[in-house]
Amino acid sequence: MSRTRSQEDRRQALAGWLFVSPALLGLIVFLVVPIVLALYVSFTNWDGLSNPLGGDVKWVGLHNYQQLLTHDGLTRTTFAGALRNNFWFVLFVVPTQTALALWLAVLVNNKYLRGRGFFRTAFYFPSITSSIAITLVFLFLFQGGGAVNGILNWFGVKGPNWLADPRGVVHVWLSGIGVSKPPGWTRHSVMGQSVWDWFSGPSIAMMVIIILVIWTTAGTFMLMFLAALQNVNEDLYEAGELDGAGGWQRFRYITLPSLRPTLLLVLTLGLIGTWQVFDQIYLTGNNPATRTPAFMSFDQSFQNNHFGIGSAIAFLLFALIMGLTLLQRRLIPEEID
Amino acid sequence: MAAVRERRSPSRRVLMYVALALFALLFLGPFVIQIATSFKTDPDATNHPLNIVPHPATLESWKRIFGYSTDQPVPFGTWLRNSIIVATSITLLRVFLDSLAGYALARLRFPGRRAVFMLILGTLAVPNVVLLIPRFLVLKELSLYNSYAGMILPIAMDAAGIFLMRGFFMQVPQSIEEAARIDGAGAFRTYWDIALPLVKPGLITLTILSFQGSWNEFSFFLVATSDPKYDTLTTGLAKFSGGSLGSGNQFPVTLGAALLSTIPVAILFFIFQRQIVRSQMSSGVKG
């Protein structure tokens, strides 16, 4: 018995390794090795043409990272601008898409709602389309004389020339209340950008991408909230009802706490996704008003042959995403309690 | 619960339906405009973007898309063919390799299983954008740049899919496989003949998610190829709208081609709607 047992163990061990090795090999060759290679490239001046491991590639140490973070110059100014654009993008998209997805989920979770299936499908449908196809539609809708401005016209609002407008919305709003020149203290420069510029808000061009991304991701997150809502114990609502809790109170003290794990997941996925925004940015062209670090990494590498700088941006972005995700995991649970 | 709903005032219910209808319009409206625009002339599209009825209605952009026009044909056929080749290959490979690995992690005891599991878990944490340059580097090193193999192999397996399949296999009662094993079936026979048919919902879910994902993939194909011969619907469309072919905005053609590229995933979506909704509700594969 013990012999057949160990024989069976050996057979299982062999089969186990045989089964996982194709996938494992793929992940190692196309994921683990490449990342190590790219990390190496981020310390070199590789131009994308020669062999990156060959002799004519120069090791430059931290030079690329310094160009991006500490040295005065065009690279740092461009990188700071991209960081600023992406920061405002995340700040506008993540809370809005989360709130909208949650609100839609609560609405379509109503058992007595007619046409629930239709509404769920309608809200989810944009999520299945390719980012390229749908961005092209939005570029059409948001042209200067496009459909969106046409609708704004009905309400007597003259819409901006969306994609061509580099003004930040905070600056626009400030000039609306009479602050059109930067106050003296905001001229102080951080990473080659003035404080005034850092606080510009997303550009009007970026607002198009913000609206687009909220519109395409709200449906996916709505489904995740919907799944969680269906697991909320209904007895709790009845108990809350008996205690005289109103609609908002029931949402605040029963629904929201039960949704905490999903909320955390949606916020984390949102954060990871928004810091990587690329496809939509690519289609708006190499525009300083919408440029993000992910696009700059691509642009530096594949258009300018500065693979060292491009890789360094990718790893800084990696570090940023990891850092923020960990930070969020620490902060969120307390906040909701 | 019923009592709660019934006490809701009628005006609040009307308000809810109005809000829902407004949002449905917001979510579907752009597609309606897209369809209408594809039947418009360039000037009509530019001057009356909001009109749902094309005036005059024309099939010109559809003729260009399908190659029936001598006026700057769009290489839509090439893009479509490449998208089909690449998305189908990636999907087939992923379903096979992910389920094979998922089965081993769920069912087979082998030394190093924990380490393999942790490694796969770790790869999930790497953002896609970080992989653009690394993957380009490896494709160059392996001489796979500008080839179908180079577009397919690097994304032919994914950690999320392995986890999805592992979860499905763990739900299968172990006793069913043990019976097969006592009858002398090897590990692969047990996996293929016994376990696989039992996780059909998982296989369908993975098939849809993989197809949708690889059909819509853009950035990876952008860095894996430069030859227009390998353009897919996404890279082809993106370059086209960037003005590489012809002049002007050509919105009717662009939006028509974009519409066509959406149709396959839309069909898949409507056939397997329930499955997709359930899978999306339980996972977070598409961020």
Side-chain angles (χ1 to χ4, degrees):
Chain A
M1 186 65 199
S2 74
R3 235 183 60 191
T4 47
R5 179 111 214 172
S6 74
Q7 228 173 12
E8 167 61 23
D9 280 354
R10 262 204 304 270
R11 273 178 54 184
Q12 246 194 49
L14 182 68
W17 272 104
L18 279 176
F19 281 22
V20 292
S21 51
L24 196 61
L25 192 72
L27 291 175
I28 290 172
V29 171
F30 293 113
L31 221 131
V32 180
V33 171
I35 288 176
V36 176
L37 206 55
L39 189 61
Y40 163 77
V41 166
S42 77
F43 297 108
T44 69
N45 66 352
W46 189 50
D47 60 2
L49 304 170
S50 54
N51 177 357
L53 303 174
D56 44 352
V57 175
K58 212 172 110 203
W59 177 268
V60 296
L62 286 172
H63 180 76
N64 293 324
Y65 291 93
Q66 284 163 345
Q67 289 287 312
L68 289 165
L69 297 173
T70 55
H71 284 189
D72 265 346
L74 185 61
T75 308
R76 191 179 70 166
T77 310
T78 311
F79 184 58
L83 272 180
R84 178 201 59 195
N85 289 343
N86 213 335
F87 166 77
W88 286 107
F89 177 77
V90 173
L91 199 68
F92 273 55
V93 171
V94 174
T96 318
Q97 75 184 5
T98 308
L100 179 63
L102 181 56
W103 186 67
L104 291 175
V106 170
L107 277 183
V108 300
N109 190 43
N110 185 342
K111 270 190 241 160
Y112 302 93
L113 177 73
R114 284 167 197 276
R116 277 196 310 170
F118 167 76
F119 287 120
R120 283 181 193 187
T121 309
F123 300 150
Y124 182 59
F125 190 71
S127 309
I128 67 160
T129 59
S130 82
S131 47
I132 296 301
I134 206 61
T135 306
L136 292 174
V137 177
F138 268 63
L139 294 185
F140 175 66
L141 296 176
F142 279 89
Q143 289 178 88
V148 171
N149 280 351
I151 291 172
L152 288 177
N153 240 338
W154 297 345
F155 302 97
V157 179
K158 196 186 172 302
N161 192 358
W162 293 90
L163 290 148
D165 201 330
R167 289 178 302 159
V169 295
V170 171
H171 283 179
V172 172
W173 173 73
L174 279 175
S175 81
I177 59 167
V179 187
S180 51
K181 273 206 189 116
W185 62 273
T186 62
R187 295 202 194 120
H188 185 71
S189 160
V190 178
M191 275 180 77
Q193 297 253 348
S194 69
V195 172
W196 173 253
D197 280 338
W198 279 103
F199 282 98
S200 66
S203 65
I204 289 178
M206 192 57 122
M207 285 308 292
V208 176
I209 319 259
I210 289 173
I211 295 167
L212 165 63
V213 169
I214 293 169
W215 185 80
T216 47
T217 46
T220 308
F221 292 141
M222 173 196 75
L223 290 182
M224 289 163 71
F225 279 126
L226 206 49
L229 280 173
Q230 288 170 359
N231 290 331
V232 179
N233 189 348
E234 298 226 343
D235 294 347
L236 285 176
Y237 287 110
E238 270 173 40
E241 181 80 354
L242 287 176
D243 289 346
W248 167 250
Q249 282 174 316
R250 286 196 300 270
F251 177 77
R252 172 70 184 79
Y253 294 104
I254 301 171
T255 312
L256 215 50
S258 327
L259 290 180
R260 191 195 297 164
T262 313
L263 196 60
L264 185 62
L265 179 66
V266 166
L267 287 171
T268 308
L269 289 175
L271 200 66
I272 294 172
T274 44
W275 275 106
Q276 295 191 64
V277 59
F278 176 81
D279 300 8
Q280 298 85 346
I281 306 296
Y282 178 90
L283 281 183
T284 56
N286 197 349
N287 180 356
T290 54
R291 192 190 287 131
T292 60
F295 180 82
M296 190 183 166
S297 165
F298 167 84
D299 186 57
Q300 283 288 329
S301 311
F302 295 95
Q303 319 280 1
N304 298 327
N305 292 330
H306 295 152
F307 277 82
I309 293 272
S311 304
I313 296 173
F315 282 100
L316 287 175
L317 195 57
F318 190 7
L320 182 81
I321 292 173
M322 291 292 261
L324 286 175
T325 309
L326 293 176
L327 186 73
Q328 195 186 39
R329 292 204 164 256
R330 284 193 172 207
L331 290 179
I332 293 290
E334 276 105 40
E335 248 179 32
I336 289 171
D337 267 331
Chain B
M1 194 67 188
V4 179
R5 303 291 171 200
E6 273 157 27
R7 225 180 295 143
R8 245 189 198 171
S9 63
S11 63
R12 277 197 64 180
R13 286 191 43 179
V14 170
L15 207 69
M16 186 176 75
Y17 277 102
V18 169
L20 281 168
L22 209 69
F23 269 93
L25 192 70
L26 269 179
F27 277 77
L28 297 178
F31 295 106
V32 177
I33 292 181
Q34 181 184 17
I35 295 168
T37 305
S38 71
F39 292 102
K40 289 181 179 177
T41 60
D42 274 0
D44 185 28
T46 311
N47 297 327
H48 309 285
L50 260 173
N51 279 4
I52 299 304
V53 183
H55 187 79
T58 169
L59 285 174
E60 191 46 41
S61 40
W62 290 104
K63 281 186 191 155
R64 278 185 64 193
I65 290 167
F66 286 113
Y68 289 111
S69 168
T70 46
D71 175 36
Q72 302 171 319
V74 184
F76 186 82
T78 310
W79 304 343
L80 182 67
R81 198 192 62 223
N82 287 338
S83 277
I84 292 172
I85 294 172
V86 172
T88 312
S89 312
I90 291 168
T91 305
L92 289 176
L93 278 169
R94 257 196 213 173
V95 171
F96 179 60
L97 298 177
D98 287 358
S99 69
L100 203 59
Y103 178 76
L105 290 174
R107 277 292 191 261
L108 302 173
R109 328 216 138 263
F110 57 94
R113 185 169 78 153
R114 267 199 77 78
V116 172
F117 185 77
M118 294 315 282
L119 182 82
I120 295 174
L121 196 68
T123 62
L124 269 175
V126 185
N128 243 326
V129 159
V130 176
L131 291 170
L132 289 182
I133 299 168
R135 281 181 166 148
F136 168 77
L137 283 169
V138 160
L139 290 181
K140 278 248 168 171
E141 287 295 299
L142 299 177
S143 303
L144 290 173
Y145 185 69
N146 265 337
S147 75
Y148 286 122
M151 299 169 78
I152 295 164
L153 292 178
I155 54 174
M157 61 292 290
D158 71 321
I162 295 175
F163 280 103
L164 185 81
M165 290 319 298
R166 177 177 170 270
F168 273 97
F169 281 119
M170 294 204 359
Q171 285 164 21
V172 175
Q174 210 138 15
S175 53
I176 300 176
E177 288 162 70
E178 257 152 37
R181 209 168 290 149
I182 288 164
D183 285 348
F188 189 80
R189 282 264 327 263
T190 315
Y191 151 78
W192 187 260
D193 289 340
I194 312 289
L196 218 46
L198 293 171
V199 293
K200 219 164 121 194
L203 294 176
I204 295 174
T205 303
L206 185 57
T207 304
I208 295 162
L209 291 179
S210 297
F211 187 80
Q212 188 192 335
S214 46
W215 186 267
N216 292 342
E217 177 62 52
F218 170 69
S219 54
F220 169 60
F221 295 152
L222 186 68
V223 302
T225 61
S226 58
D227 191 333
K229 198 163 83 175
Y230 295 105
D231 275 346
T232 61
L233 285 165
T234 51
T235 53
L237 266 171
K239 289 180 194 169
F240 180 77
S241 83
S244 67
L245 296 163
S247 58
N249 288 323
Q250 309 185 70
F251 275 115
V253 176
T254 315
L255 296 196
L259 182 67
L260 266 190
S261 80
T262 307
I263 286 175
V265 280
I267 291 174
L268 209 65
F269 171 70
F270 284 112
I271 295 176
F272 294 103
Q273 195 178 357
R274 283 204 162 150
Q275 198 94 30
I276 294 179
V277 168
R278 211 179 308 137
S279 68
Q280 286 284 12
M281 278 168 79
S282 53
S283 70
V285 177
K286 196 192 171 193

